[in-house]
Amino acid sequence: MGRNKYPEETVAKILDAALELFCVQGYEGTSIQDIVDRLDGMTKGAVYHHFKSKEEIFNAAFDRAMAPIVERRRATLGAGNMTGAQKLKRLYAPESVVPQIELWARMHPAADPVKSSRLLAMQYQGSFDESADGCLLPVIEEGIADGSIACKCPREAAEAVSLLANLWLLPLFRPLETKDRMLARAQCLAQMAAAVGLDLGNEVLQTTAQIWDVWNRAGW
Amino acid sequence: MGRNKYPEETVAKILDAALELFCVQGYEGTSIQDIVDRLDGMTKGAVYHHFKSKEEIFNAAFDRAMAPIVERRRATLGAGNMTGAQKLKRLYAPESVVPQIELWARMHPAADPVKSSRLLAMQYQGSFDESADGCLLPVIEEGIADGSIACKCPREAAEAVSLLANLWLLPLFRPLETKDRMLARAQCLAQMAAAVGLDLGNEVLQTTAQIWDVWNRAGW
DNA sequence: TCATTAAATACATACTAATGGTATGTATAG
DNA sequence: CTATACATACCATTAGTATGTATTTAATGA
């Protein structure tokens, strides 16, 4: 294969192949050669021309998959005509969550947390960084400022809710539960959040139901 | 080195070296050769005589470290003259938690969750299996049976509390926070638990303070 | 505007060091 | 004598590198 006039296409192909393999086989379970084999005709030299390490491929693939979702949330946060409390509910409404879930479902991450340990670690870290500090916490603080939320420990509440939402409600790294049990989890989380002043809204139940549907349809 | 009369000693040496390396360098960051190099004179043949894979070494080392702690908890659970509510409080009292923390602190796991992703994954899975299903849930159910606990969603409450306790309160895979913020987390968790009918007791705060001291003394 | 050339880029090929694991040999305990 | 506890020597795979080659782009000059 000669030189491509549009190298971004090559990069995109590499990241597409990589993300799917990393999700299905895990990070350590995926070799560079596995990725190369999915890029017909291309060789390892091409991959290492565009990325300097496997680590970098992983991060780039992950960031790329996350970008539209982060953008979407940013849009929700940006709207100026809503109170903090309203934005909070919106964050856990189906329209905010389901697109993310559909992405994950397409990737079919391994239900075994040990096989998916790297993804799990990133979700874990993300629960503090992006989800909590960069997304949930500002909304809560906005709500406190405008009087629509009464929360005495905003940072802690944000972290706890993010963690539970990302690693407990989302069935990414665990075998799929029954719909009823997922709904019970959602209700439990809502109750716990309410205890620290956060009203996640009734839509959480609908969101959870839709998550289950998407996941179940994806064949778990 | 000739044949050892007491091969259990060899096994113990291997597991000791392995656990420390796995904690500090992570699973993938630790090679069999790294382990061998700490067993002066011994060779890879010895290691692979006693264990059939790196995976098995890891699991054995982990189980070995966890055994006394699991045993201790089992003892707490076994006592027949306490209500479920009392046992619940005991589970989060310093005497139950601190020994575990001291073990972890000795191991100095990497604060980077990605480097420690395998340990994180095991803690994650353990939060469902051992902590929740095997330890917390039976206590809650006992409390419900004897009337000392009123909880409408015992399974969900157990999972949520376990997850938060293992992955949020314990500073295993994150840089150590200030003592105040750790205490705020503990209080937040207690509040959330109370909302679903679980009284973790006031001792949670003392437990958290002691955890911080241990961790801080260990040089974080 | 267009041909010519130089440089940078997009790959392919061939290789290396390290790794998990195996096959096999040998000495010692029971 | 036999089974076990090791040591030695080896293998296939892997992430990563060094280098070679073709093509695109940029610069130049008329």
Side-chain angles (χ1 to χ4, degrees), chain A residues 7-90:
Chain A
E8 320 88 68
E9 290 176 4
T10 303
V11 171
K13 276 185 199 169
I14 294 172
L15 293 182
D16 282 340
L19 184 62
E20 198 185 327
L21 284 168
F22 282 139
C23 283
V24 176
Q25 307 181 7
Y27 180 79
E28 308 297 339
T30 301
S31 72
I32 300 287
Q33 197 55 47
D34 287 342
I35 298 173
V36 170
D37 289 345
R38 290 214 169 185
L39 309 169
D40 45 17
M42 225 175 295
T43 66
K44 205 153 56 158
V47 172
Y48 274 100
H49 171 69
H50 290 289
F51 302 95
K52 73 178 211 292
S53 69
K54 185 179 174 183
E55 185 90 24
E56 196 179 287
I57 297 174
F58 182 88
N59 291 330
F62 188 81
D63 290 348
R64 195 171 109 99
M66 277 305 199
I69 292 148
V70 171
E71 192 43 48
R72 200 187 182 90
R73 273 204 300 228
R74 211 170 293 267
T76 298
L77 289 174
N81 55 343
M82 294 169 74
T83 65
Q86 287 170 328
K87 285 184 183 176
L88 175 60
K89 288 179 189 171
R90 185 64 69 86

Side-chain angles (χ1 to χ4, degrees), chain B residues 22-185:
Chain B
F22 282 138
C23 283
V24 176
Q25 308 181 6
Y27 180 79
E28 308 297 337
T30 301
S31 71
I32 299 288
Q33 197 56 46
D34 287 342
I35 298 173
V36 170
D37 290 344
R38 292 214 169 184
L39 309 168
D40 45 15
M42 225 175 298
T43 66
K44 206 154 55 158
V47 171
Y48 274 100
H49 170 70
H50 291 289
F51 302 95
K52 73 178 213 291
S53 70
K54 186 180 175 182
E55 186 91 24
E56 194 180 289
I57 297 173
F58 182 88
N59 290 329
F62 189 82
D63 290 348
R64 196 171 109 99
M66 276 305 198
I69 292 147
V70 171
E71 191 45 46
R72 200 186 181 91
R73 272 204 300 228
R74 211 171 294 267
T76 299
L77 288 175
N81 54 345
M82 294 170 74
T83 67
Q86 287 170 328
K87 286 184 182 176
L88 176 60
K89 287 179 189 171
R90 183 67 68 85
L91 272 179
Y92 292 94
E95 71 231 53
S96 302
V97 178
V98 172
Q100 174 176 0
I101 294 303
E102 280 169 339
L103 169 67
W104 281 110
R106 273 216 322 275
M107 298 301 157
H108 263 255
D112 176 7
V114 175
K115 268 187 76 174
S116 299
S117 60
R118 209 180 189 85
L119 279 173
L120 173 60
M122 296 190 70
Q123 278 280 95
Y124 177 70
Q125 195 156 33
S127 299
F128 292 88
D129 303 342
E130 170 53 31
S131 300
D133 292 1
C135 176
L136 190 52
L137 185 55
V139 167
I140 295 173
E141 279 167 344
E142 198 179 327
I144 293 174
D146 66 27
S148 63
I149 292 177
C151 177
K152 287 180 179 170
C153 47
R155 152 150 265 119
E156 285 70 29
E159 287 178 353
V161 169
S162 278
L163 260 180
L164 289 177
N166 287 334
L167 298 183
W168 187 49
L169 272 193
L170 297 192
L172 293 181
F173 311 112
R174 300 273 307 171
L176 185 58
E177 303 279 352
T178 66
K179 195 167 189 172
D180 282 346
R181 273 174 66 176
M182 278 193 61
L183 289 172
R185 284 183 180 178

Side-chain angles (χ1 to χ4, degrees), chain A residues 62 66 100-109 119 172 215:
Chain A
F62 188 81
M66 277 305 199
Q100 175 175 359
I101 294 303
E102 280 170 339
L103 170 68
W104 281 111
R106 272 215 324 275
M107 298 303 159
H108 263 255
L119 279 173
L172 293 181
W215 222 252

